[in-house]
mmCIF file of all heavy atoms in Angstrom:
data_model
loop_
_atom_site.group_PDB
_atom_site.id
_atom_site.type_symbol
_atom_site.label_atom_id
_atom_site.label_comp_id
_atom_site.label_asym_id
_atom_site.label_seq_id
_atom_site.Cartn_x
_atom_site.Cartn_y
_atom_site.Cartn_z
ATOM 1 N N PRO J 387 110.742 113.251 78.678
ATOM 2 C CA PRO J 387 109.528 113.676 79.382
ATOM 3 C C PRO J 387 109.095 112.672 80.438
ATOM 4 O O PRO J 387 108.482 113.058 81.449
ATOM 5 C CB PRO J 387 108.486 113.797 78.265
ATOM 6 C CG PRO J 387 109.007 112.998 77.138
ATOM 7 C CD PRO J 387 110.496 113.069 77.230
ATOM 8 N N PHE J 388 109.417 111.369 80.239
ATOM 9 C CA PHE J 388 109.056 110.382 81.261
ATOM 10 C C PHE J 388 109.795 110.647 82.569
ATOM 11 O O PHE J 388 109.232 110.465 83.662
ATOM 12 C CB PHE J 388 109.363 108.967 80.756
ATOM 13 C CG PHE J 388 108.989 107.890 81.738
ATOM 14 C CD1 PHE J 388 107.662 107.488 81.876
ATOM 15 C CD2 PHE J 388 109.952 107.289 82.540
ATOM 16 C CE1 PHE J 388 107.310 106.508 82.784
ATOM 17 C CE2 PHE J 388 109.607 106.307 83.448
ATOM 18 C CZ PHE J 388 108.283 105.910 83.568
ATOM 19 N N LEU J 389 111.053 111.086 82.485
ATOM 20 C CA LEU J 389 111.809 111.399 83.709
ATOM 21 C C LEU J 389 111.209 112.603 84.429
ATOM 22 O O LEU J 389 111.114 112.617 85.663
ATOM 23 C CB LEU J 389 113.277 111.647 83.360
ATOM 24 C CG LEU J 389 114.066 110.415 82.880
ATOM 25 C CD1 LEU J 389 115.478 110.813 82.467
ATOM 26 C CD2 LEU J 389 114.116 109.354 83.982
ATOM 27 N N PHE J 390 110.801 113.612 83.665
ATOM 28 C CA PHE J 390 110.129 114.751 84.301
ATOM 29 C C PHE J 390 108.811 114.313 84.935
ATOM 30 O O PHE J 390 108.455 114.750 86.032
ATOM 31 C CB PHE J 390 109.880 115.858 83.273
ATOM 32 C CG PHE J 390 111.119 116.625 82.897
ATOM 33 C CD1 PHE J 390 111.608 116.600 81.600
ATOM 34 C CD2 PHE J 390 111.793 117.380 83.847
ATOM 35 C CE1 PHE J 390 112.753 117.304 81.255
ATOM 36 C CE2 PHE J 390 112.937 118.095 83.498
ATOM 37 C CZ PHE J 390 113.420 118.057 82.211
ATOM 38 N N LEU J 391 108.081 113.440 84.241
ATOM 39 C CA LEU J 391 106.831 112.926 84.785
ATOM 40 C C LEU J 391 107.075 112.153 86.082
ATOM 41 O O LEU J 391 106.322 112.289 87.054
ATOM 42 C CB LEU J 391 106.167 112.030 83.738
ATOM 43 C CG LEU J 391 104.860 111.342 84.114
ATOM 44 C CD1 LEU J 391 103.941 111.268 82.902
ATOM 45 C CD2 LEU J 391 105.113 109.924 84.628
ATOM 46 N N THR J 392 108.134 111.349 86.115
ATOM 47 C CA THR J 392 108.466 110.605 87.335
ATOM 48 C C THR J 392 108.771 111.559 88.482
ATOM 49 O O THR J 392 108.367 111.328 89.629
ATOM 50 C CB THR J 392 109.668 109.686 87.071
ATOM 51 O OG1 THR J 392 109.357 108.795 85.991
ATOM 52 C CG2 THR J 392 110.025 108.882 88.313
ATOM 53 N N GLY J 393 109.476 112.647 88.180
ATOM 54 C CA GLY J 393 109.744 113.644 89.210
ATOM 55 C C GLY J 393 108.464 114.246 89.762
ATOM 56 O O GLY J 393 108.323 114.464 90.979
ATOM 57 N N ILE J 394 107.488 114.504 88.887
ATOM 58 C CA ILE J 394 106.207 115.044 89.340
ATOM 59 C C ILE J 394 105.499 114.050 90.247
ATOM 60 O O ILE J 394 104.930 114.416 91.279
ATOM 61 C CB ILE J 394 105.316 115.399 88.133
ATOM 62 C CG1 ILE J 394 105.939 116.552 87.349
ATOM 63 C CG2 ILE J 394 103.898 115.758 88.573
ATOM 64 C CD1 ILE J 394 105.235 116.839 86.030
ATOM 65 N N GLU J 395 105.529 112.763 89.885
ATOM 66 C CA GLU J 395 104.875 111.750 90.717
ATOM 67 C C GLU J 395 105.552 111.620 92.071
ATOM 68 O O GLU J 395 104.886 111.430 93.098
ATOM 69 C CB GLU J 395 104.878 110.405 89.984
ATOM 70 C CG GLU J 395 104.227 109.271 90.768
ATOM 71 C CD GLU J 395 102.817 109.601 91.212
ATOM 72 O OE1 GLU J 395 102.028 110.138 90.415
ATOM 73 O OE2 GLU J 395 102.498 109.329 92.383
ATOM 74 N N VAL J 396 106.884 111.738 92.102
ATOM 75 C CA VAL J 396 107.588 111.708 93.390
ATOM 76 C C VAL J 396 107.154 112.890 94.259
ATOM 77 O O VAL J 396 106.860 112.739 95.448
ATOM 78 C CB VAL J 396 109.121 111.722 93.175
ATOM 79 C CG1 VAL J 396 109.849 111.962 94.488
ATOM 80 C CG2 VAL J 396 109.584 110.409 92.546
ATOM 81 N N VAL J 397 107.106 114.082 93.654
ATOM 82 C CA VAL J 397 106.704 115.280 94.398
ATOM 83 C C VAL J 397 105.268 115.130 94.910
ATOM 84 O O VAL J 397 104.964 115.422 96.067
ATOM 85 C CB VAL J 397 106.830 116.528 93.501
ATOM 86 C CG1 VAL J 397 106.192 117.739 94.161
ATOM 87 C CG2 VAL J 397 108.304 116.800 93.192
ATOM 88 N N ARG J 398 104.377 114.671 94.044
ATOM 89 C CA ARG J 398 102.982 114.464 94.453
ATOM 90 C C ARG J 398 102.886 113.460 95.589
ATOM 91 O O ARG J 398 102.126 113.625 96.554
ATOM 92 C CB ARG J 398 102.161 113.969 93.257
ATOM 93 C CG ARG J 398 100.653 113.936 93.490
ATOM 94 C CD ARG J 398 99.973 112.942 92.579
ATOM 95 N NE ARG J 398 100.343 111.582 92.904
ATOM 96 C CZ ARG J 398 99.749 110.873 93.872
ATOM 97 N NH1 ARG J 398 98.783 111.399 94.594
ATOM 98 N NH2 ARG J 398 100.142 109.633 94.115
ATOM 99 N N SER J 399 103.687 112.396 95.486
ATOM 100 C CA SER J 399 103.665 111.353 96.512
ATOM 101 C C SER J 399 104.188 111.864 97.851
ATOM 102 O O SER J 399 103.655 111.525 98.914
ATOM 103 C CB SER J 399 104.497 110.153 96.034
ATOM 104 O OG SER J 399 104.565 109.167 97.026
ATOM 105 N N VAL J 400 105.232 112.676 97.822
ATOM 106 C CA VAL J 400 105.756 113.246 99.073
ATOM 107 C C VAL J 400 104.685 114.086 99.762
ATOM 108 O O VAL J 400 104.457 113.968 100.975
ATOM 109 C CB VAL J 400 107.010 114.103 98.790
ATOM 110 C CG1 VAL J 400 107.405 114.910 100.023
ATOM 111 C CG2 VAL J 400 108.173 113.209 98.359
ATOM 112 N N ALA J 401 104.009 114.932 98.987
ATOM 113 C CA ALA J 401 102.954 115.767 99.571
ATOM 114 C C ALA J 401 101.809 114.919 100.097
ATOM 115 O O ALA J 401 101.272 115.162 101.189
ATOM 116 C CB ALA J 401 102.448 116.771 98.533
ATOM 117 N N PHE J 402 101.420 113.888 99.347
ATOM 118 C CA PHE J 402 100.285 113.054 99.739
ATOM 119 C C PHE J 402 100.606 112.264 101.002
ATOM 120 O O PHE J 402 99.824 112.259 101.967
ATOM 121 C CB PHE J 402 99.924 112.110 98.592
ATOM 122 C CG PHE J 402 98.717 111.256 98.863
ATOM 123 C CD1 PHE J 402 97.441 111.773 98.723
ATOM 124 C CD2 PHE J 402 98.856 109.938 99.261
ATOM 125 C CE1 PHE J 402 96.325 110.988 98.972
ATOM 126 C CE2 PHE J 402 97.752 109.140 99.515
ATOM 127 C CZ PHE J 402 96.484 109.673 99.365
ATOM 128 N N PHE J 403 101.761 111.581 101.021
ATOM 129 C CA PHE J 403 102.119 110.782 102.193
ATOM 130 C C PHE J 403 102.412 111.667 103.400
ATOM 131 O O PHE J 403 102.120 111.292 104.541
ATOM 132 C CB PHE J 403 103.315 109.873 101.885
ATOM 133 C CG PHE J 403 102.932 108.595 101.211
ATOM 134 C CD1 PHE J 403 103.042 108.451 99.834
ATOM 135 C CD2 PHE J 403 102.448 107.524 101.936
ATOM 136 C CE1 PHE J 403 102.679 107.285 99.195
ATOM 137 C CE2 PHE J 403 102.078 106.339 101.315
ATOM 138 C CZ PHE J 403 102.200 106.217 99.942
ATOM 139 N N GLY J 404 102.999 112.829 103.162
ATOM 140 C CA GLY J 404 103.224 113.748 104.275
ATOM 141 C C GLY J 404 101.913 114.179 104.907
ATOM 142 O O GLY J 404 101.790 114.245 106.141
ATOM 143 N N ALA J 405 100.908 114.440 104.064
ATOM 144 C CA ALA J 405 99.611 114.874 104.591
ATOM 145 C C ALA J 405 98.925 113.768 105.371
ATOM 146 O O ALA J 405 98.430 113.992 106.491
ATOM 147 C CB ALA J 405 98.721 115.360 103.447
ATOM 148 N N ILE J 406 98.871 112.543 104.823
ATOM 149 C CA ILE J 406 98.152 111.487 105.524
ATOM 150 C C ILE J 406 98.894 111.058 106.795
ATOM 151 O O ILE J 406 98.275 110.551 107.730
ATOM 152 C CB ILE J 406 97.902 110.264 104.616
ATOM 153 C CG1 ILE J 406 99.203 109.608 104.188
ATOM 154 C CG2 ILE J 406 97.062 110.652 103.427
ATOM 155 C CD1 ILE J 406 98.996 108.316 103.408
ATOM 156 N N THR J 407 100.199 111.268 106.836
ATOM 157 C CA THR J 407 100.961 110.899 108.030
ATOM 158 C C THR J 407 100.721 111.881 109.171
ATOM 159 O O THR J 407 100.623 111.474 110.344
ATOM 160 C CB THR J 407 102.462 110.832 107.702
ATOM 161 O OG1 THR J 407 102.677 109.869 106.667
ATOM 162 C CG2 THR J 407 103.271 110.433 108.933
ATOM 163 N N PHE J 408 100.588 113.159 108.863
ATOM 164 C CA PHE J 408 100.581 114.165 109.930
ATOM 165 C C PHE J 408 99.261 114.927 110.067
ATOM 166 O O PHE J 408 99.147 115.787 110.946
ATOM 167 C CB PHE J 408 101.723 115.172 109.705
ATOM 168 C CG PHE J 408 103.081 114.559 109.852
ATOM 169 C CD1 PHE J 408 103.830 114.218 108.735
ATOM 170 C CD2 PHE J 408 103.601 114.301 111.108
ATOM 171 C CE1 PHE J 408 105.078 113.639 108.862
ATOM 172 C CE2 PHE J 408 104.851 113.720 111.250
ATOM 173 C CZ PHE J 408 105.591 113.382 110.129
ATOM 174 N N ILE J 409 98.259 114.608 109.244
ATOM 175 C CA ILE J 409 97.042 115.414 109.297
ATOM 176 C C ILE J 409 96.294 115.228 110.618
ATOM 177 O O ILE J 409 95.736 116.189 111.173
ATOM 178 C CB ILE J 409 96.127 115.112 108.087
ATOM 179 C CG1 ILE J 409 95.033 116.166 107.979
ATOM 180 C CG2 ILE J 409 95.546 113.700 108.166
ATOM 181 C CD1 ILE J 409 94.273 116.124 106.660
ATOM 182 N N GLU J 410 96.289 114.023 111.168
ATOM 183 C CA GLU J 410 95.608 113.823 112.446
ATOM 184 C C GLU J 410 96.327 114.560 113.575
ATOM 185 O O GLU J 410 95.686 115.184 114.438
ATOM 186 C CB GLU J 410 95.499 112.329 112.755
ATOM 187 C CG GLU J 410 94.535 111.590 111.846
ATOM 188 C CD GLU J 410 94.330 110.155 112.268
ATOM 189 O OE1 GLU J 410 95.111 109.291 111.801
ATOM 190 O OE2 GLU J 410 93.414 109.884 113.060
ATOM 191 N N LEU J 411 97.651 114.491 113.571
ATOM 192 C CA LEU J 411 98.416 115.220 114.590
ATOM 193 C C LEU J 411 98.240 116.729 114.418
ATOM 194 O O LEU J 411 98.237 117.472 115.408
ATOM 195 C CB LEU J 411 99.896 114.845 114.490
ATOM 196 C CG LEU J 411 100.246 113.414 114.930
ATOM 197 C CD1 LEU J 411 101.707 113.114 114.619
ATOM 198 C CD2 LEU J 411 99.962 113.229 116.423
ATOM 199 N N PHE J 412 98.101 117.189 113.183
ATOM 200 C CA PHE J 412 97.863 118.611 112.935
ATOM 201 C C PHE J 412 96.558 119.050 113.589
ATOM 202 O O PHE J 412 96.483 120.106 114.223
ATOM 203 C CB PHE J 412 97.824 118.856 111.420
ATOM 204 C CG PHE J 412 97.530 120.275 111.020
ATOM 205 C CD1 PHE J 412 98.507 121.250 111.112
ATOM 206 C CD2 PHE J 412 96.277 120.633 110.550
ATOM 207 C CE1 PHE J 412 98.239 122.576 110.734
ATOM 208 C CE2 PHE J 412 95.988 121.937 110.175
ATOM 209 C CZ PHE J 412 96.984 122.912 110.276
#
Side-chain angles (χ1 to χ4, degrees):
F388 181 78
L389 292 176
F390 285 117
L391 178 144
T392 302
I394 294 172
E395 180 54 44
V396 169
V397 170
R398 190 204 67 83
S399 176
V400 169
F402 183 80
F403 277 99
I406 64 174
T407 301
F408 294 101
I409 193 168
E410 290 186 271
L411 290 173
F412 178 76

